[in-house]
Amino acid sequence: MKRILEVCVDSVESAVIAAKGGADRLEVCSNLVIGGTTPGVSMFRQIRKACDIALHVLIRPRFGDFLYTDAEFLAIEEDIGLFRSLGADGVVAGCLLPDGNLDKERMKRLRQEASGMRLTLHRAFDVCKDPFRALEEAVLLGADTILTSGQSETCVKGKGLLNDLILKADGRIEILVGGGVDAAVIRALSEEINAASFHMSGKKTLGSEMVYRNDKVHMGLPGLSEFEVYRTDLEKIKEAKSALDG
């Protein structure tokens, strides 16, 4: 069974660190602090030049649910074609219906648009109504991977469902375990549920290098400091890769 460490990155600096640490592939996005959104073209181009490993691009036009307007879905389709032309190896996307099931018609269109690339059904899966139905539909749609925490806050809490999904998938589709992954989790779940593919950010918080600071103005979400930067931690990636290989 092939063992995969995927690292989610939202900067060129983090991508270079993750590749150096031994990541097998990267999920490239923006705004990891809100779960990730579609990255910018210039950032992707820089990462593609700097990293000679597989790059999967998150295609998510906004924060929030996975029920998209027609305009949002059109943007998703166009972005898939754009990143294919820029050399992406895969895309990470997903659409749901109001009833919580996969939007199969839209997912078919995304699979067609992603022709020649790998397609990961992202954590829209974790908020779908019936994970086993969604798994079978993803297989029939031709998706290559499902990224999931087992419909729980973390993969450790969701390990029961993850175990069932891995057994049910039976090698037909990759079950990529995400949500709170680190070296210790990899060691535990590799043994307990025979998981082989893991997704992590391995990030740490860096203080801003700004000397002058106006603490009275907040640009983003309440509680988030404008004077902190999230970056992939080299040692965390190395430790995770060692745990996976071990």
Side-chain angles (χ1 to χ4, degrees):
M1 183 183 300
K2 189 174 182 180
R3 306 178 74 77
I4 295 292
L5 178 63
E6 177 179 281
V7 179
C8 189
V9 299
D10 62 358
S11 70
V12 178
E13 293 81 5
S14 286
V16 171
I17 290 168
K20 183 178 178 180
D24 297 294
R25 68 181 182 229
L26 304 179
E27 182 196 280
V28 181
C29 69
S30 289
N31 303 310
L32 253 178
V33 71
I34 54 171
T37 55
T38 306
V41 168
S42 59
M43 184 180 75
F44 176 82
R45 283 175 171 157
Q46 290 185 61
I47 292 174
R48 180 72 286 173
K49 290 178 182 177
C51 300
D52 190 23
I53 60 176
L55 303 183
H56 290 188
V57 181
L58 176 64
I59 309 295
R60 185 185 181 208
R62 58 162 171 78
F63 169 79
D65 65 28
F66 305 101
L67 178 63
Y68 294 113
T69 66
D70 290 342
E72 288 171 336
F73 182 71
L74 180 60
I76 290 171
E77 281 190 305
E78 290 185 357
D79 280 340
I80 289 175
L82 173 62
F83 284 104
R84 183 181 62 239
S85 71
L86 293 172
D89 300 286
V91 290
V92 184
C95 303
L96 297 179
L97 295 168
D99 65 4
N101 289 308
L102 278 187
D103 188 333
K104 292 189 292 182
E105 292 307 310
R106 283 184 164 181
M107 290 298 298
K108 286 179 184 177
R109 288 170 61 178
L110 297 187
R111 175 66 277 183
Q112 292 170 356
E113 189 64 42
S115 177
M117 294 190 291
R118 292 182 65 86
L119 174 64
T120 296
L121 171 58
H122 60 33
R123 293 186 66 191
F125 180 88
D126 278 330
V127 291
C128 76
K129 184 177 181 180
D130 183 341
F132 297 105
R133 172 178 170 175
L135 184 152
E136 295 301 330
E137 289 174 345
V139 170
L140 289 175
L141 288 165
D144 300 284
T145 300
I146 295 172
L147 171 60
T148 175
S149 63
Q151 295 200 325
S152 295
E153 182 181 0
T154 68
C155 59
V156 172
K157 292 182 178 179
K159 67 181 180 181
L161 178 56
L162 286 168
N163 180 65
D164 292 342
L165 291 169
I166 290 169
L167 292 173
K168 187 73 172 177
D170 193 27
R172 295 175 298 156
I173 191 168
E174 177 187 35
I175 302 299
L176 180 60
V177 176
V181 171
D182 59 16
V185 168
I186 290 173
R187 282 190 289 269
L189 295 190
S190 294
E191 181 176 344
E192 292 178 33
I193 64 173
N194 201 31
S197 297
F198 292 89
H199 170 100
M200 66 183 294
S201 65
K203 61 183 178 294
K204 62 181 177 182
T205 304
L206 302 177
S208 169
E209 295 183 4
M210 286 294 297
V211 176
Y212 172 75
R213 301 185 180 195
N214 182 350
D215 293 320
K216 298 177 183 178
V217 178
H218 296 280
M219 305 291 182
L221 296 173
L224 293 181
S225 171
E226 274 73 41
F227 301 105
E228 292 180 347
V229 177
Y230 298 101
R231 182 130 330 136
T232 301
D233 186 301
L234 178 62
E235 293 307 313
K236 289 181 180 179
I237 305 305
K238 284 182 176 179
E239 289 169 5
K241 182 62 172 176
S242 178
L244 188 65
D245 290 345

